[in-house]
Short mmCIF file of all heavy atoms in Angstrom, two decimals:
data_model
loop_
_atom_site.label_atom_id
_atom_site.label_comp_id
_atom_site.label_asym_id
_atom_site.label_seq_id
_atom_site.Cartn_x
_atom_site.Cartn_y
_atom_site.Cartn_z
N ALA P 35 97.55 117.77 84.49
CA ALA P 35 96.66 116.61 84.51
C ALA P 35 97.16 115.45 83.61
O ALA P 35 96.36 114.57 83.28
CB ALA P 35 95.23 117.00 84.13
N ASN P 36 98.45 115.48 83.26
CA ASN P 36 99.06 114.42 82.48
C ASN P 36 98.38 114.13 81.13
O ASN P 36 98.39 113.05 80.63
CB ASN P 36 99.16 113.12 83.30
CG ASN P 36 100.04 113.31 84.52
OD1 ASN P 36 100.79 114.32 84.57
ND2 ASN P 36 100.00 112.42 85.47
N ALA P 87 83.90 103.82 81.74
CA ALA P 87 83.95 105.26 81.53
C ALA P 87 85.21 105.79 82.25
O ALA P 87 85.16 106.25 83.37
CB ALA P 87 82.71 105.92 82.08
N GLY P 88 86.35 105.63 81.58
CA GLY P 88 87.62 105.93 82.19
C GLY P 88 88.06 104.71 83.02
O GLY P 88 87.19 103.89 83.43
N SER P 89 89.36 104.59 83.29
CA SER P 89 89.71 103.48 84.20
C SER P 89 89.23 103.79 85.60
O SER P 89 89.07 102.85 86.41
CB SER P 89 91.19 103.13 84.14
OG SER P 89 92.01 104.25 84.01
N ASP P 90 88.92 105.01 85.93
CA ASP P 90 88.29 105.33 87.20
C ASP P 90 87.05 104.45 87.46
O ASP P 90 86.88 103.94 88.56
CB ASP P 90 87.84 106.79 87.26
CG ASP P 90 88.97 107.74 87.57
OD1 ASP P 90 90.12 107.28 87.78
OD2 ASP P 90 88.73 108.96 87.58
N GLU P 91 86.23 104.34 86.44
CA GLU P 91 85.01 103.53 86.65
C GLU P 91 85.40 102.06 86.92
O GLU P 91 84.81 101.39 87.76
CB GLU P 91 84.06 103.60 85.44
CG GLU P 91 82.75 102.82 85.77
CD GLU P 91 81.84 102.60 84.58
OE1 GLU P 91 82.28 102.68 83.42
OE2 GLU P 91 80.63 102.35 84.84
N LEU P 93 88.18 100.91 88.21
CA LEU P 93 88.76 100.77 89.55
C LEU P 93 87.64 100.74 90.61
O LEU P 93 87.69 99.94 91.54
CB LEU P 93 89.74 101.91 89.83
CG LEU P 93 90.95 102.02 88.88
CD1 LEU P 93 91.73 103.31 89.09
CD2 LEU P 93 91.86 100.81 89.03
N PHE P 114 98.20 106.52 93.69
CA PHE P 114 97.13 107.29 93.07
C PHE P 114 95.95 107.40 94.04
O PHE P 114 95.54 106.41 94.63
CB PHE P 114 96.71 106.52 91.80
CG PHE P 114 95.80 107.27 90.86
CD1 PHE P 114 95.95 108.64 90.59
CD2 PHE P 114 94.78 106.58 90.21
CE1 PHE P 114 95.10 109.27 89.72
CE2 PHE P 114 93.95 107.24 89.31
CZ PHE P 114 94.09 108.58 89.08
N TYR P 117 92.60 105.26 94.58
CA TYR P 117 92.53 103.95 95.29
C TYR P 117 91.95 104.04 96.70
O TYR P 117 90.99 103.31 96.98
CB TYR P 117 93.92 103.28 95.36
CG TYR P 117 94.64 103.18 94.03
CD1 TYR P 117 96.06 103.23 93.97
CD2 TYR P 117 93.96 103.07 92.83
CE1 TYR P 117 96.72 103.17 92.76
CE2 TYR P 117 94.65 102.99 91.59
CZ TYR P 117 96.00 103.05 91.59
OH TYR P 117 96.69 102.99 90.38
N ALA P 157 99.91 101.19 90.93
CA ALA P 157 100.06 101.84 89.62
C ALA P 157 101.50 101.62 89.18
O ALA P 157 102.43 101.90 89.93
CB ALA P 157 99.75 103.32 89.72
N PRO P 159 103.73 102.41 85.70
CA PRO P 159 104.35 103.36 86.59
C PRO P 159 103.35 104.05 87.52
O PRO P 159 102.17 104.11 87.22
CB PRO P 159 104.99 104.41 85.67
CG PRO P 159 104.90 103.86 84.29
CD PRO P 159 103.85 102.83 84.28
N ASN P 160 103.90 104.58 88.62
CA ASN P 160 103.00 105.24 89.59
C ASN P 160 102.84 106.73 89.25
O ASN P 160 103.73 107.38 88.74
CB ASN P 160 103.58 105.08 90.98
CG ASN P 160 102.64 105.65 92.03
OD1 ASN P 160 101.45 105.41 91.99
ND2 ASN P 160 103.16 106.41 92.97
N ASN P 161 101.66 107.24 89.58
CA ASN P 161 101.35 108.64 89.53
C ASN P 161 101.09 109.07 91.00
O ASN P 161 100.28 108.40 91.64
CB ASN P 161 100.10 108.86 88.67
CG ASN P 161 99.57 110.26 88.71
OD1 ASN P 161 100.29 111.18 89.05
ND2 ASN P 161 98.32 110.43 88.34
N ASP P 188 97.61 98.89 87.70
CA ASP P 188 97.10 100.04 86.92
C ASP P 188 98.19 100.53 86.02
O ASP P 188 99.17 101.14 86.46
CB ASP P 188 96.59 101.09 87.92
CG ASP P 188 96.13 102.39 87.23
OD1 ASP P 188 96.33 102.54 86.01
OD2 ASP P 188 95.56 103.24 87.95
N ALA P 190 98.18 102.79 83.51
CA ALA P 190 97.71 103.96 82.73
C ALA P 190 98.81 104.57 81.87
O ALA P 190 98.53 105.13 80.83
CB ALA P 190 97.18 105.00 83.70
N TYR P 191 100.07 104.44 82.33
CA TYR P 191 101.17 105.12 81.60
C TYR P 191 102.10 104.15 80.89
O TYR P 191 103.21 104.53 80.54
CB TYR P 191 101.98 105.98 82.62
CG TYR P 191 101.13 107.04 83.26
CD1 TYR P 191 100.52 106.81 84.49
CD2 TYR P 191 100.89 108.24 82.60
CE1 TYR P 191 99.71 107.77 85.06
CE2 TYR P 191 100.11 109.22 83.19
CZ TYR P 191 99.51 108.99 84.40
OH TYR P 191 98.72 109.93 84.96
N THR P 216 94.74 97.25 84.36
CA THR P 216 93.84 98.27 83.82
C THR P 216 94.62 99.26 82.96
O THR P 216 95.80 99.53 83.17
CB THR P 216 93.12 99.04 84.96
OG1 THR P 216 94.09 99.80 85.68
CG2 THR P 216 92.38 98.11 85.86
N TYR P 217 93.91 99.82 81.98
CA TYR P 217 94.50 100.70 80.96
C TYR P 217 93.55 101.82 80.65
O TYR P 217 92.33 101.71 80.93
CB TYR P 217 94.80 99.93 79.68
CG TYR P 217 95.65 98.68 79.94
CD1 TYR P 217 95.06 97.43 80.18
CD2 TYR P 217 97.05 98.80 80.06
CE1 TYR P 217 95.82 96.33 80.49
CE2 TYR P 217 97.78 97.67 80.33
CZ TYR P 217 97.19 96.48 80.54
OH TYR P 217 97.94 95.34 80.87
N THR P 218 94.08 102.89 80.07
CA THR P 218 93.22 104.03 79.80
C THR P 218 93.52 104.64 78.41
O THR P 218 94.62 104.47 77.92
CB THR P 218 93.45 105.13 80.86
OG1 THR P 218 92.58 106.23 80.59
CG2 THR P 218 94.88 105.66 80.86
N PHE P 219 92.54 105.28 77.88
CA PHE P 219 92.70 106.05 76.63
C PHE P 219 92.94 107.54 76.94
O PHE P 219 92.95 108.35 76.05
CB PHE P 219 91.50 105.86 75.70
CG PHE P 219 91.52 104.52 75.01
CD1 PHE P 219 90.89 103.42 75.58
CD2 PHE P 219 92.21 104.31 73.83
CE1 PHE P 219 90.92 102.16 74.97
CE2 PHE P 219 92.26 103.08 73.22
CZ PHE P 219 91.60 102.02 73.80
N SER P 220 93.05 107.84 78.22
CA SER P 220 93.13 109.26 78.61
C SER P 220 94.52 109.87 78.48
O SER P 220 94.67 111.09 78.39
CB SER P 220 92.75 109.44 80.09
OG SER P 220 91.42 109.02 80.30
N LYS P 221 95.54 109.03 78.41
CA LYS P 221 96.89 109.61 78.43
C LYS P 221 97.50 109.64 77.03
O LYS P 221 97.23 110.52 76.28
CB LYS P 221 97.75 108.80 79.45
CG LYS P 221 97.09 108.80 80.86
CD LYS P 221 97.08 110.12 81.54
CE LYS P 221 96.07 110.34 82.66
NZ LYS P 221 96.06 109.37 83.75
N ALA P 226 90.97 111.88 77.06
CA ALA P 226 90.53 112.02 78.42
C ALA P 226 89.12 112.58 78.51
O ALA P 226 88.32 112.18 79.37
CB ALA P 226 91.49 112.93 79.19
N ARG P 229 86.29 109.83 78.41
CA ARG P 229 86.18 108.88 79.54
C ARG P 229 86.12 107.47 79.03
O ARG P 229 85.03 106.88 78.88
CB ARG P 229 84.96 109.16 80.43
CG ARG P 229 84.73 110.61 80.83
CD ARG P 229 85.96 111.20 81.52
NE ARG P 229 86.39 110.42 82.63
CZ ARG P 229 87.63 109.93 82.79
NH1 ARG P 229 88.59 110.17 81.88
NH2 ARG P 229 87.96 109.23 83.80
N ILE P 230 87.27 106.90 78.74
CA ILE P 230 87.28 105.51 78.26
C ILE P 230 88.52 104.80 78.73
O ILE P 230 89.65 105.28 78.54
CB ILE P 230 87.03 105.46 76.70
CG1 ILE P 230 87.16 104.06 76.17
CG2 ILE P 230 87.96 106.37 75.94
CD1 ILE P 230 85.92 103.31 76.19
N GLY P 231 88.30 103.65 79.36
CA GLY P 231 89.40 102.81 79.86
C GLY P 231 89.01 101.37 79.81
O GLY P 231 87.84 101.05 79.43
N PHE P 302 105.26 112.60 82.90
CA PHE P 302 105.28 113.67 83.88
C PHE P 302 106.47 113.45 84.75
O PHE P 302 107.06 112.35 84.77
CB PHE P 302 103.98 113.66 84.71
CG PHE P 302 103.73 112.36 85.40
CD1 PHE P 302 104.27 112.08 86.63
CD2 PHE P 302 103.04 111.34 84.75
CE1 PHE P 302 104.05 110.85 87.26
CE2 PHE P 302 102.80 110.11 85.37
CZ PHE P 302 103.32 109.87 86.62
N ARG P 341 104.39 118.39 90.51
CA ARG P 341 104.40 117.46 89.36
C ARG P 341 104.16 118.24 88.09
O ARG P 341 103.27 119.07 88.00
CB ARG P 341 103.29 116.41 89.53
CG ARG P 341 103.41 115.22 88.54
CD ARG P 341 102.13 114.40 88.54
NE ARG P 341 101.04 115.15 87.95
CZ ARG P 341 99.78 114.81 87.98
NH1 ARG P 341 99.40 113.69 88.61
NH2 ARG P 341 98.83 115.50 87.41
C1 LIG Z 401 95.27 109.19 84.67
C2 LIG Z 401 95.28 107.93 85.48
C3 LIG Z 401 94.34 106.94 85.25
C4 LIG Z 401 93.34 107.09 84.16
O1 LIG Z 401 92.14 107.55 84.60
P1 LIG Z 401 90.92 107.63 83.55
O2 LIG Z 401 89.74 107.48 84.47
O3 LIG Z 401 91.05 106.45 82.63
O4 LIG Z 401 91.00 108.93 82.85
C5 LIG Z 401 94.38 105.78 85.99
N1 LIG Z 401 95.36 105.56 86.88
C6 LIG Z 401 96.32 106.49 87.11
C7 LIG Z 401 97.40 106.19 88.07
C8 LIG Z 401 96.32 107.67 86.43
O5 LIG Z 401 97.24 108.64 86.68
#
Side-chain angles (χ1 to χ4, degrees):
N36 297 346
S89 38
D90 279 358
E91 186 191 20
L93 299 170
F114 190 40
Y117 310 149
N160 185 45
N161 172 20
D188 175 350
Y191 299 95
T216 66
Y217 306 93
T218 182
F219 284 92
S220 299
K221 304 291 159 54
R229 313 305 306 124
I230 175 88
F302 55 89
R341 191 193 69 192

